Amino acid sequence: MAYHFAASADRQTIPIIPIETEVFAAWLKNQGAAMKRWVKSTRFTGAVGSISLVAGSDGSLCSVLVGVDNHQGLWAYSALPSKLPEGRYEIDARMDRASATAVALGWALGCYQFTKYKSNPIGLGRPSLVWPKNCDRGAVRRTADATTLVRDLINIPAEDMGPPELALAARKLAKKHDARINMVIGNALLKKGYPTIHAVGRAASKAPRLIDMTWGRANSPKVTLVGKGVCFDTGGLDLKSAAGMLRMKKDMGGSAHVLGLAHMIMDAKLDVRLRVLIGAVENSVAGNAYRPSDVIRTRKGVTVEVGNTDAEGRLVMCDALAEADREKPALIADFATLTGAARVALGTQIATMFCNDEKLASDLYEAGEENGDPIWRLPLFPSYRRLLKSKVADINNVSEGGFAGAITAALFLEEFVSKRTPWVHFDIMACNATALPGRPVGGEAMGMRALYDVIQKRFGKNKRH
Ligand code: BES
Ligand code: MN
Ligand code: ZN
């Protein structure tokens, strides 16, 4: 993707002047008469996010005023790429390395457009930003590339992003970073012991599969990422409503997140042995569909009664988590668009986190705050485990009563991870419901930057690569 950065300023470069809303009046006092009149007549108040295009005496654009709350924040300038006319711009502010990097990332994320299906994409002539001084361009590119990958994978409709296409995206990533990749497809899932992935995906015309990617030195600390890759969720036989089904192309959002994160880890050559496991399926309806009341013996040996075929995500995840746990990694992180309940609890902008390790949870929370990637923890409340009791099997895939839906889903997953393995589960929305600066409606990465930050701090760089 083109991020619209320019290497250096030229004579036509237009300054972007950040004005902190609180000091707007003081700023205005110091301006010349023409600027004062312009600001007054256009009613520019320096409100956060508002902009004013200012013309010079010859009538050409000479500067852009932007209202900011803290001109060093990630999203401070990220609305600008879609608002400014074509041209070259430079932020007229001193910034330290962290702020310069955050601001450049905000600009890059604000340049994102999903135009794959537009015959005549609008806005081809785009503004470009002169790279802010001292910014970490590698970090900006890495994070923006990962976010673009996540957004694109989610935004592509299910017809063009089924299990094989998702697998192809993983293959491309593996190739780029010299990672090993293995697929277990269709009936081979039964032979290799992934019965839940097979059961959920077997009714679709595109065969279900496990995507298994590994990278890094065998004796580096093991980090394993597990993603929900339900390429479309009809609900199965317990079919969703039309409104409920409409957005379900995003149900592979968790797998998009782990691929984005894997890109960041491999691109930065962190000192980890990375493994990525994705259950890629379509939860479809056909004569061979799995049914409510069926019992599946999972990879771990735990038997599951299918209370509802629409609680398919936890089934797809449980065999992948059991495989992840077998290696006793230093960290397992999973991402899944697992429940509607998570977004009812926390809304659309916060990633819901469950974690069996206090330090990991607090590190993640902190990293979320620092990286503008908000996370909030919900409890793995042991007493609610009883809500998943089954009369015929070891566990039911849905809870009685439907209370605490995100928690009971997390408790279901917890059954497949050993207590000693540090594990974090993200139940995410994976899309923006309304547009915010730098975050257009559609696919979105949530919790990915925070987790990358924690992994990078814990495992650092691998100089031997
Ligand atoms: N993919 C959905 C969860 C979902 C719904 C995510 C809406 C984002 C927005 C998941 O497979 C699902 O259908 N979950 C059910 C579980 C229920 C049957 C226990 C839900 O949340 O309603
Ligand atoms: Mn479902
Ligand atoms: Zn689902």
Side-chain angles (χ1 to χ4, degrees):
M1 172 180 135
Y3 297 126
H4 313 282
F5 284 107
S8 58
D10 59 10
R11 295 182 66 204
Q12 273 87 48
T13 297
I14 300 155
I16 294 172
I17 302 168
I19 304 163
E20 285 187 59
T21 314
E22 280 176 17
V23 301
F24 175 72
W27 172 84
L28 191 59
K29 238 184 217 154
N30 290 326
Q31 302 305 306
M35 180 68 101
K36 279 184 177 141
R37 257 196 307 279
W38 173 253
V39 164
K40 195 174 170 210
S41 58
T42 58
R43 307 291 195 269
F44 180 71
T45 62
V48 176
S50 66
I51 70 166
S52 179
L53 302 179
V54 183
S57 53
D58 66 349
S60 62
L61 179 58
C62 87
S63 66
V64 180
L65 311 179
V66 187
V68 293
D69 48 3
N70 155 13
H71 58 242
Q72 306 186 340
L74 172 62
W75 307 116
Y77 307 98
S78 58
L80 294 182
S82 59
K83 284 187 180 172
L84 295 179
E86 186 174 358
R88 190 178 293 194
Y89 298 83
E90 185 170 35
I91 298 170
D92 187 11
R94 275 172 199 276
M95 291 178 280
D96 60 20
R97 189 167 173 83
S99 316
T101 305
V103 155
L105 177 61
W107 176 275
L109 298 182
C111 290
Y112 179 83
Q113 286 180 308
F114 184 65
T115 54
K116 186 173 160 65
Y117 299 95
K118 289 281 187 197
S119 307
N120 301 301
I122 43 166
L124 277 180
R126 302 290 299 278
S128 66
L129 183 73
V130 175
W131 279 107
K133 284 194 184 62
N134 350 272
C135 93
D136 181 345
R137 298 185 194 186
V140 172
R141 285 202 190 94
R142 175 181 309 131
T143 314
D145 282 342
T147 310
T148 300
L149 176 67
V150 174
R151 289 173 173 179
D152 281 347
L153 291 176
I154 295 170
N155 287 337
I156 295 173
E159 176 67 10
D160 295 340
M161 190 47 67
E165 291 85 5
L166 184 58
L168 189 66
R171 241 184 230 296
K172 268 193 194 155
L173 189 68
K175 188 161 182 214
K176 183 171 180 172
H177 297 288
D178 251 332
R180 290 174 299 282
I181 191 159
N182 182 45
M183 311 277 175
V184 184
I185 303 173
N187 287 333
L189 287 165
L190 295 176
K191 278 191 226 109
K192 302 269 183 197
Y194 296 96
T196 59
I197 298 174
H198 183 268
V200 173
R202 74 190 184 201
S205 61
K206 292 176 178 174
R209 61 205 68 204
L210 176 82
I211 302 166
D212 185 353
M213 181 165 99
T214 49
W215 173 90
R217 285 160 43 98
N219 49 3
S220 293
K222 292 187 171 61
V223 170
T224 300
L225 309 176
V226 180
K228 171 174 172 181
V230 176
C231 295
F232 195 76
D233 183 9
T234 65
L237 288 170
D238 288 352
L239 205 66
K240 283 186 183 297
S241 66
M245 208 184 292
L246 190 59
R247 281 174 240 295
M248 282 303 126
K249 70 172 181 180
K250 72 159 180 184
D251 214 18
M252 35 57 71
S255 64
H257 277 65
V258 299
L259 291 176
L261 188 54
H263 168 72
M264 294 180 76
I265 291 169
M266 297 187 291
D267 184 65
K269 299 194 182 345
L270 299 189
D271 187 12
V272 297
R273 202 300 308 265
L274 177 70
R275 189 170 185 199
V276 176
L277 291 165
I278 294 170
V281 304
E282 208 179 312
N283 188 19
S284 255
V285 180
N288 64 339
Y290 81 128
R291 316 159 188 81
S293 80
D294 280 354
V295 175
I296 308 169
R297 185 175 295 277
T298 64
R299 180 174 191 78
K300 201 181 169 188
V302 175
T303 57
V304 182
E305 177 185 359
V306 179
N308 192 314
T309 61
D310 198 9
E312 84 298 339
R314 60 198 78 179
L315 293 173
V316 168
M317 297 295 280
C318 74
D319 278 354
L321 281 170
E323 171 57 18
D325 195 55
R326 212 175 46 78
E327 291 189 303
K328 302 275 168 278
L331 172 67
I332 296 180
D334 81 65
F335 285 85
T337 49
L338 203 62
T339 68
R343 82 193 159 148
V344 171
L346 297 183
T348 61
Q349 265 185 273
I350 305 171
T352 307
M353 156 176 76
F354 294 87
C355 191
N356 65 0
D357 181 298
E358 296 308 307
K359 179 72 167 67
L360 178 59
S362 59
D363 285 356
L364 279 164
Y365 173 76
E366 291 292 327
E369 291 299 291
E370 276 168 30
N371 289 277
D373 193 9
I375 292 172
W376 198 260
R377 187 184 188 187
L378 289 182
L380 288 159
F381 192 64
S383 177
Y384 290 171
R385 170 62 180 79
R386 73 192 143 79
L387 301 173
L388 291 167
K389 278 195 178 136
S390 162
K391 288 208 171 61
V392 297
D394 299 333
I395 192 169
N396 200 307
N397 80 328
V398 289
S399 66
E400 217 175 280
F403 294 115
I407 298 178
T408 52
L411 288 170
F412 182 94
L413 298 184
E414 194 187 24
E415 292 289 314
F416 299 87
V417 182
S418 92
K419 291 261 177 293
R420 288 177 304 281
T421 310
W423 165 62
V424 59
H425 156 55
F426 286 99
D427 191 339
I428 44 161
M429 173 82 174
C431 70
N432 301 309
T434 54
L436 287 162
R439 288 151 287 177
V441 169
E444 187 59 283
M446 298 176 159
M448 179 181 76
R449 284 178 282 119
L451 180 54
Y452 174 77
D453 197 21
V454 169
I455 292 173
Q456 170 247 298
K457 281 182 181 139
R458 287 194 175 196
F459 304 107
K461 272 221 183 268
N462 182 356
K463 310 214 167 53
R464 292 164 298 224
H465 261 288

